């Protein structure tokens, strides 16, 4: 049945709102309500969010748990940061595949409020300030113009939760129909879009940084790629971003199961595009 995705900064009230939703649906429907979140996995947030691979594993575990819980009868609430737009798109693909509606509840706070609420927590469950700041910096806010972020409910700390409107959004809307794009990308590739975005962005920054000390004719080594970029001319940020957008658009239409080859594929694309 429906999936409700919580989203927001660390310490923005997501778990409190998730509990409010669970209470509302328990009292007003006869459906079971499952909350899936970091607490269920029993993770140490500071160590997980300090390591990209550990964080990736946690996201995959949460997604797998959501996939197991989603059925024709129950309500699933995913209570986690869900701060990466590519990950939210993967969840959207999941609900399209499962043929069930979804909505996004965005707990909007300022960095100052989240910091204050974090400090009010017990020491053992606080984020370190360094991790908190890093997560806030990396946060990709939802946008209702994106179909994977819609319908979107933005809740500020003083707002009353619009439980009835959220209920209507998940019970009175039809499930999005499956289409070729969601069917062509295997659900096992849980981190495909995230890796595509991250790998290409990292390569762009490496090229820009390397150009400061390189001249045409040099070979630029790229972390994670066996192939090198043959620098035939200088590339500015605008051109690199355009090439990145083109590569991402093509790769989304032709996703690969071998995520480890994304870096080499983008290097090859850049080499061809520079000539």
């Amino acid at each position: 049945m429906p999936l409700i995705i919580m989203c927001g900064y660390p310490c923005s009230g997501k778990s409190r709102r998730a509990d409010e939703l669970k209470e509302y649906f328990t009292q007003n429907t006869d459906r079971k309500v499952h909350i899936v979140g970091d607490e269920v996995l029993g993770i140490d947030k500071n160590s997980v969010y300090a390591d990209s691979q550990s964080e990736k594993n946690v996201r995959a575990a949460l997604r797998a748990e959501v996939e197991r819980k989603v059925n024709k009868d129950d309500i699933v609430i995913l209570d986690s940061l869900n701060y990466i737009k590519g990950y939210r798109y993967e969840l959207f693909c999941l609900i399209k595949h499962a043929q069930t509606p979804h909505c996004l509840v965005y707990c909007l706070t300022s960095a100052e409020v989240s910091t204050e609420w974090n400090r009010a927590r017990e020491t053992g469950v606080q984020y370190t300030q360094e991790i908190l700041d890093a997560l806030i910096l990396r946060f990709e806010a939802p946008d209702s113009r994106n179909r994977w972020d819609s319908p979107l409910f933005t809740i500020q700390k003083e707002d009353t939760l619009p439980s009835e409107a959220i209920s209507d959004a998940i019970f009175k809307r039809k499930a999005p129909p499956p289409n070729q794009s969601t069917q062509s990308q295997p659900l096992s590739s849980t981190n495909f879009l995230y890796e595509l975005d991250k790998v290409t962005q990292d390569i762009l920054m490496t090229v820009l940084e390397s150009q400061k000390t390189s001249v045409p004719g040099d070979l630029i080594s790229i972390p994670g790629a066996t192939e090198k970029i043959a620098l035939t001319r200088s590339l500015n940020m605008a051109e690199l971003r355009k090439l990145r957008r083109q590569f991402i658009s093509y790769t989304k239409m032709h996703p690969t199961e071998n995520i480890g080859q994304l870096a080499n594929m983008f290097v090859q694309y850049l080499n061809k595009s520079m000539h």
Side-chain angles (χ1 to χ4, degrees):
M1 211 40 196
L3 171 65
I4 300 174
I5 301 171
M6 308 304 294
C7 178
Y9 286 169
C11 305
S12 58
K14 297 183 298 300
S15 295
R16 175 170 63 88
R17 298 299 193 175
D19 288 338
E20 288 179 23
L21 282 170
K22 181 175 183 177
E23 182 178 359
Y24 173 84
F25 287 118
T26 300
Q27 293 179 353
N28 292 277
T29 73
D30 57 357
R31 301 179 187 276
K32 290 182 180 179
V33 182
H34 304 282
I35 295 181
V36 176
D38 295 345
E39 281 70 22
V40 175
L41 300 179
I43 65 170
D44 175 34
K45 294 180 180 180
N46 287 307
S47 60
V48 163
Y49 289 115
D51 179 74
S52 60
Q53 185 59 50
S54 297
E55 183 182 345
K56 186 189 306 181
N57 293 340
V58 166
R59 283 197 302 272
L62 289 172
R63 187 186 181 286
E65 185 64 19
V66 167
E67 192 168 8
R68 281 192 292 270
K69 297 288 189 186
V70 167
N71 60 46
K72 63 183 179 67
D73 298 315
D74 301 345
I75 298 168
V76 179
I77 302 174
L78 178 57
D79 177 23
S80 188
L81 297 175
N82 300 313
Y83 71 99
I84 299 171
K85 60 185 177 182
Y87 183 61
R88 296 196 297 269
Y89 178 76
E90 291 172 10
L91 293 168
F92 177 71
C93 291
L94 185 155
I95 64 102
K96 285 172 74 73
H97 182 78
Q99 284 293 274
T100 185
H102 90 305
C103 73
L104 194 73
V105 177
Y106 176 25
C107 297
L108 177 61
T109 57
S110 66
E112 291 75 20
V113 167
S114 287
T115 298
E116 179 185 338
W117 287 356
N118 182 55
R119 288 172 179 165
R121 287 181 166 187
E122 294 181 9
T123 305
V125 293
Q126 284 184 11
Y127 290 89
T128 65
Q129 192 61 45
E130 181 182 8
I131 294 296
L132 183 72
D133 290 343
L135 288 169
I136 289 174
L137 185 64
R138 298 203 298 265
F139 187 82
E140 297 175 338
D143 184 340
S144 61
R145 292 172 295 182
N146 298 327
R147 61 192 186 281
W148 56 88
D149 287 337
S150 179
L152 173 65
F153 297 90
T154 300
I155 315 297
Q156 299 192 49
K157 65 175 183 176
E158 66 276 6
D159 292 343
T160 299
L161 190 66
S163 303
E164 188 173 344
I166 292 172
S167 178
D168 288 346
I170 59 176
F171 290 130
K172 295 184 178 180
R173 288 172 56 250
K174 291 183 178 180
N179 55 33
Q180 187 173 357
S181 64
T182 58
Q183 291 174 335
S184 63
Q185 181 176 325
L187 286 175
S188 59
S189 301
T190 55
N191 295 297
F192 176 80
L193 288 174
Y194 170 74
E195 286 297 328
L196 178 62
D197 184 80
K198 183 177 186 301
V199 166
T200 52
Q201 181 63 32
D202 288 348
I203 291 176
L204 248 62
M205 300 313 296
T206 299
V207 172
L208 283 172
E209 190 64 27
S210 298
Q211 286 186 144
K212 295 177 181 178
T213 56
S214 301
V215 296
D218 286 352
L219 294 176
I220 299 176
S221 296
I222 302 297
T226 57
E227 300 194 29
K228 297 181 179 181
I229 291 178
L231 192 65
T232 57
R233 58 184 175 84
S234 179
L235 295 167
N236 60 34
M237 176 59 88
E239 185 175 8
L240 283 169
R241 283 177 173 168
K242 179 181 178 181
L243 292 173
R244 177 174 178 260
R245 286 195 301 269
Q246 292 172 347
F247 177 78
I248 287 176
S249 296
Y250 174 83
T251 310
K252 282 182 178 178
M253 295 298 294
H254 305 84
T256 175
E257 278 289 275
N258 192 349
I259 292 178
Q261 283 299 310
L262 286 175
N264 278 331
M265 289 167 61
F266 190 40
V267 168
Q268 292 169 0
Y269 184 83
L270 290 177
N271 280 333
K272 290 179 182 178
S273 301
M274 282 190 288
H275 294 295

